Amino acid sequence: MRANPKPVALNDLLRQTTALQCELAASVDRVLASGWYILGRECAAFELEFAAYCGVAHCISVANGTDALELALRSLGIGPGDTVATVANAGGYSSTAIHAAGAEPLYIDIDPSSMNMSASDLAARLTPSVRAVIATHLYGRMALLPALLAVTGRAAVPLVEDCAQAHGAAIGGKKAGSWGALACFSFYPTKNLGALGDGGAVTTNNEQLAQRVKSLRQYGWSGKYQCSEYGRNSRMDELQAAILRAKLPHLDGWNARRREIASAYSAALAGQSVECPRDFGESYVAHLYVIRSQARDRVRAALQARGIATDVHYPVPDHLQEAARGTLAATAQLPVTERAAREILTLPCYAELEDGEISSVVGALHALSQEALID
Ligand SMILES: *Cc1c(COP(=O)(O)O)cnc(C)c1O
């Protein structure tokens, strides 16, 4: 086997920071000089700019994506005794938020081709105790929203979008973050729009829900030192907001580059039995490029031997996690979810990947078929 010239890492955050060095330094300097470091002018401006980008009336910045989910649920009045439907293949963040709100998850199986929530399984499992549905746009692929909203609409249950992997994705020009009663974003550094620390946001078109999230993110205050209900401290800081403002104008370009890389990989896999993304339109922002193979571990080892880093997002479904042991949710029957967890493999796909590295991955994917590893 020919050695790969240079190993290809799954991600390299330093590249984006270096490319934007001047803009980021100017943003940081502006905040340092302002004398105001939490929930100030930068946060307010970012909230307006991100709301406009998503095509919604309100954006409320928070400390991270998991808090965004928890506060969105709490703004809907969800708490102890309530059930929230979600998927078990999306890294466990929604489960954490559901538990933090005091509620219990009900796991819905996934659609085998999109790996997002199955609308028919949602319809089959929905019970009157379900007070909300969280639809995750997994790997940057929009969930099957028209079908899911038809089900939640009939049941009069609010749908909350988890857009943490889907900044900028859209269906028919309507962006992720503008479909649900509320939508939640994370700006963790590796996301399509990433801060230089933690960050998150809730978007909504509903004025009342926006006000409630705003109150909940700051102790439940209705005004300074006036506590109308018990909330959280989940604020964004001015440094992260200023950094996100500098990065937002680049998001569409980065998403286009991610799609280009994803489509080069899928072209290299054409005709092979491995399953891979096939649609590179607006509804996929290639947060993660995930293939499926029954020979996943052999494929992974072969890529590793050629210096190509891979990962599994995510190896253990939520209902099989130790934390779920003994709960009703742990008894969920999710055959499509469990099968996917055994077959999925994530390849390097981020905007700053160099052409030479993409060629290395493409070459390794071609070589895989020659070695008959994928069948
Ligand atoms: C990253 C992520 C989150 C959580 O975001 P944090 O900012 O890390 O709390 C939630 N949902 C999904 C799908 C994610 O990928």
Side-chain angles (χ1 to χ4, degrees):
M1 196 190 292
R2 252 177 301 123
N4 195 43
K6 217 171 63 173
V8 182
L10 209 64
N11 213 327
D12 181 353
L13 296 174
L14 184 58
R15 293 184 187 183
Q16 187 179 92
T17 306
T18 306
L20 296 183
Q21 184 78 44
C22 293
E23 288 160 83
L24 296 178
S27 302
V28 170
D29 286 347
R30 203 168 62 234
V31 174
L32 298 188
S34 76
W36 191 288
Y37 304 115
I38 285 181
L39 289 188
R41 273 195 306 228
E42 299 291 338
C43 283
F46 174 69
E47 288 173 346
L48 284 176
E49 289 158 10
F50 196 64
Y53 178 83
C54 294
V56 293
H58 308 279
C59 168
I60 304 97
S61 61
V62 296
N64 58 67
T66 310
D67 281 3
L69 287 165
E70 180 195 336
L71 298 184
L73 294 177
R74 289 179 62 176
S75 77
L76 291 166
I78 287 161
D82 294 331
T83 302
V84 177
T86 186
V87 290
N89 70 327
Y93 312 104
S94 61
S95 298
T96 299
I98 291 164
H99 283 286
E104 292 290 328
L106 169 72
Y107 294 118
I108 308 299
D109 214 347
I110 56 170
D111 160 65
S113 77
S114 70
M115 290 192 266
N116 281 321
M117 183 182 279
S118 157
S120 57
D121 199 51
L122 176 64
R125 295 189 200 225
L126 211 54
T127 64
S129 69
V130 173
R131 297 276 324 279
V133 174
I134 298 177
T136 303
H137 306 304
L138 194 66
Y139 308 145
R141 165 92 51 213
M142 291 287 290
L144 309 160
L145 284 176
L148 292 172
L149 284 166
V151 176
T152 56
R154 271 199 300 279
V157 172
L159 182 144
V160 175
E161 294 173 72
D162 182 347
C163 307
Q165 304 191 354
H167 318 66
I171 297 174
K174 190 171 160 58
K175 288 251 168 69
S178 69
W179 290 77
L182 303 120
C184 303
F185 289 85
S186 164
F187 306 113
Y188 183 78
T190 60
K191 309 292 187 184
N192 291 38
L193 179 63
L196 298 179
D198 275 315
V202 177
T203 57
T204 181
N205 280 313
N206 182 308
E207 165 84 38
Q208 277 175 330
L209 292 176
Q211 282 309 325
R212 189 133 188 229
V213 172
K214 230 173 174 166
S215 165
L216 286 168
R217 80 169 164 185
Q218 182 148 256
Y219 321 120
W221 280 359
S222 51
K224 200 174 181 188
Y225 307 135
Q226 307 297 315
C227 196
S228 55
E229 63 178 320
Y230 292 111
R232 292 276 317 278
N233 174 356
S234 183
R235 299 174 294 218
M236 181 177 276
D237 65 70
E238 290 282 281
L239 280 170
Q240 301 312 327
I243 284 155
L244 289 167
R245 290 183 71 199
K247 288 190 176 193
L248 181 56
H250 298 279
L251 176 58
D252 288 343
W254 289 331
N255 283 345
R257 175 66 172 165
R258 284 175 180 269
R259 286 191 189 99
E260 187 177 284
I261 296 164
S263 112
Y265 292 170
S266 287
L269 289 166
Q272 299 189 16
S273 60
V274 63
E275 286 172 57
C276 61
R278 290 288 170 211
D279 174 8
F280 307 101
E282 61 169 5
S283 68
Y284 178 53
V285 291
H287 173 64
L288 295 175
Y289 181 86
V290 175
I291 62 172
R292 285 183 66 164
S293 166
Q294 287 176 43
R296 189 263 309 276
D297 295 340
R298 275 189 293 153
V299 171
R300 189 170 195 191
L303 291 171
Q304 184 64 50
R306 288 172 174 269
I308 314 294
T310 60
D311 205 345
V312 175
H313 295 93
Y314 299 89
V316 183
D318 297 20
H319 65 300
L320 302 178
Q321 293 283 357
E322 197 182 324
R325 202 179 294 158
T327 68
L328 185 62
T331 65
Q333 300 295 304
L334 304 166
V336 188
T337 296
E338 289 177 23
R339 179 170 175 199
R342 292 190 295 270
E343 298 183 350
I344 49 177
L345 187 66
T346 304
L347 272 47
C349 182
Y350 62 99
E352 295 77 23
L353 215 50
E354 290 163 10
D355 289 344
E357 294 173 314
I358 298 167
S359 301
S360 295
V361 179
V362 165
L365 294 175
H366 280 303
L368 277 183
S369 63
Q370 284 155 20
E371 290 157 17
L373 273 164
I374 301 172
D375 55 38

